[in-house]
């Protein structure tokens, strides 16, 4: 069977086995989920068969960080290397499920974001690397990749795309659920039964500044504040917190997106270098509270005026494991809605796997020729079929 015929056959199947690959802004590694997907849209059914995390090696992480400040040649070379890493992650999760690659219908890869510009900062543009052709060659599978540019082409911000999964899973008449992801950047989807009233956007910083302060505090021995064990010992610097909460991004109206350009190394380095080294633990505690407060501010300023009262807040992403951050978020939202961890819902996949699972779902829609952006979330003029298919 030639690949065009194979693609048509996959599209006609009642269910598909798809590997979803997600590389986050924190540069931790690749999350890979293998799922059986049935249906489409709000009738989507998801069965996770395996989940695997492939950490980036220190040398690869350093290469990515250098490339973010490097040349076009560096980006080209890293694009191919990351294609190999993503292919390895796909093969690893397939093996973990006890399957052969030939049993899988497709791989849906988000790639590694190296730059993102939203409309408030110039011409909307986005670049994710991790060459889909390399993934297809190494796995032998059809690959769906490069999801974000199609949304941008119809006036969207190219993000957030996980909002589509949230709408599929959580839309219920009479309920307004906020799906809060805390990765390197924090983003929220407020799901309503009427998709035109739903809203999703990046609320501001997530773990990026927290991780940077943790590395500074521990002289690099710890890459992140595991369980919030360091930040719980610090004291919040209220004066600094107030200044941080004046960051202009927080006041911008959605749809909006952000990334390392706004809250990455330069932002964190300036704070660390200006702060008393003897009080670095207080800076860490302050940044944890800043993430929590920026999320709460986004709800009050940008969500509730549009959606009305919120039924509940469901948190996923790496930040859900930081108990200091979760406690701060519950405090900040005490008068808004109850806050729960995604894992409390027992949906068959974990908070850690959610974004990789989302790309299984997005890939499933693309293979069927169905749109999977949420215009109310991204600001697009219309729904669009996302991604590029590599045969």
């Amino acid at each position: 069977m030639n690949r065009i015929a194979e693609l048509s056959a996959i599209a006609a199947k009642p269910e598909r086995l798809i590997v979803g690959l997600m590389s986050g802004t924190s540069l931790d590694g690749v999350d890979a989920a293998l799922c059986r997907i049935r249906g489409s849209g709000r009738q989507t059914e998801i069965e996770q068969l395996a989940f695997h995390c492939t950490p980036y090696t220190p040398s690869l992480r350093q290469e990515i960080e250098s490339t973010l400040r490097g040349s076009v040649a560096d980006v080209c070379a890293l694009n191919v290397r990351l294609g190999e890493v993503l292919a390895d992650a796909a093969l690893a999760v397939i093996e973990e499920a006890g399957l052969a690659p030939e049993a899988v219908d497709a791989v849906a890869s988000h790639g590694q974001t190296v730059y993102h510009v939203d409309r408030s900062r110039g011409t909307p543009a986005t670049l994710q690397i991790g060459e889909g052709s390399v993934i297809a060659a190494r796995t032998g599978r059809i690959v769906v990749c490069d999801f974000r540019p199609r949304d941008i082409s119809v006036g969207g911000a190219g993000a957030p795309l996980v909002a589509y999964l949230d709408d599929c899973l959580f839309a219920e008449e009479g309920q307004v659920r906020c799906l809060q992801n805390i990765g390197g950047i924090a983003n929220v989807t407020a799901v309503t039964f009427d998709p035109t009233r739903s809203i999703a956007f990046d609320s501001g910083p997530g773990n990026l500044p927290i991780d940077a302060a943790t590395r500074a505090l521990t002289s690099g021995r710890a890459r992140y504040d595991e369980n919030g064990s360091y930040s719980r010992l610090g004291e919040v610097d209220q004066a600094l917190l107030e200044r941080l909460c004046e960051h202009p991004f927080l006041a911008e109206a959605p749809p909006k997106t952000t990334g390392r350009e706004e809250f990455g190394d330069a932002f964190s380095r300036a704070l660390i270098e200006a702060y008393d080294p003897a009080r670095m633990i207080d800076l860490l505690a302050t940044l944890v509270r800043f993430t929590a407060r920026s999320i709460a501010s986004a709800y009050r300023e940008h969500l509730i005026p549009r959606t009305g009262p919120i039924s509940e807040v469901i948190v996923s992403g790496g930040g859900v494991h930081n108990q200091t951050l979760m406690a701060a978020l519950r405090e900040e939202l005490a008068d808004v809605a109850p806050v729960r961890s995604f894992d409390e819902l027992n949906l068959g996949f974990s908070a850690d796997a959610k974004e990789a699972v989302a790309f299984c779902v997005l890939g499933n829609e693309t293979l069927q020729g169905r749109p999977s952006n949420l215009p109310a979330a991204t600001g697009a003029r219309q729904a669009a079929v996302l991604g590029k298919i590599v045969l």
Side-chain angles (χ1 to χ4, degrees), residues 170-337:
F170 294 104
E172 182 180 345
E173 195 159 9
Q175 300 291 311
V176 178
R177 294 190 171 97
C178 286
L179 286 301
Q180 180 67 53
N181 179 68
I182 309 177
I185 297 297
N187 57 75
V188 61
T189 305
V191 176
T192 66
F193 191 68
D194 177 359
T196 66
R197 290 182 55 241
S198 296
I199 183 172
F201 56 93
D202 288 348
S203 54
N207 296 318
L208 282 174
I210 296 170
D211 292 348
T214 301
R215 291 193 297 271
L217 173 68
T218 64
S219 300
R221 293 188 302 277
R223 287 197 56 80
Y224 64 97
D225 184 20
E226 187 172 4
N227 299 321
S229 56
Y230 289 112
S231 54
R232 73 166 57 102
L233 304 176
E235 181 177 338
V236 174
D237 183 331
Q238 294 295 337
L240 175 59
L241 178 61
E242 289 179 12
R243 292 199 301 274
L244 290 171
C245 288
E246 294 173 357
H247 193 289
F249 178 82
L250 306 186
E252 290 178 18
K256 59 179 181 175
T257 59
T258 190
R260 301 181 70 89
E261 301 77 32
E262 197 76 57
F263 294 107
D265 292 341
F267 175 83
S268 302
R269 192 182 312 112
L271 290 171
I272 291 166
E273 290 176 354
Y275 212 74
D276 181 354
R279 296 184 56 208
M280 197 55 57
I281 200 165
D282 294 337
L283 175 61
L284 174 59
T286 304
L287 289 170
V288 167
R289 179 63 68 160
F290 175 44
T291 289
R293 185 159 296 179
S294 65
I295 292 169
S297 174
Y299 286 23
R300 292 188 176 92
E301 298 298 321
H302 304 306
L303 279 183
I304 295 173
R306 175 165 171 168
T307 65
I310 296 169
S311 309
E312 62 181 339
V313 177
I314 302 165
V315 184
S316 61
V320 77
H321 303 299
N322 185 324
Q323 296 307 309
T324 308
L325 176 55
M326 289 295 288
L329 189 58
R330 289 189 173 98
E331 277 185 35
E332 296 287 342
L333 292 174
D335 62 338
V336 173

Side-chain angles (χ1 to χ4, degrees), residues 38-95:
R38 304 178 184 89
S40 178
R42 290 180 177 176
Q43 283 70 53
T44 299
E45 298 177 12
I46 304 166
E47 179 187 355
Q48 180 183 305
L49 303 182
F51 175 68
H52 184 83
C53 182
T54 302
Y56 286 152
T57 63
S59 61
L60 179 56
R61 189 179 299 115
Q62 184 176 15
E63 183 179 344
I64 296 170
E65 290 172 343
S66 298
T67 299
L68 295 176
R69 304 182 295 272
S71 68
V72 173
D74 294 332
V75 174
C76 286
L78 185 60
N79 181 44
V80 173
R81 183 172 178 198
L82 282 176
E84 296 282 355
V85 172
L86 290 161
D88 286 341
L91 293 170
V93 77
I94 293 168
E95 182 179 1

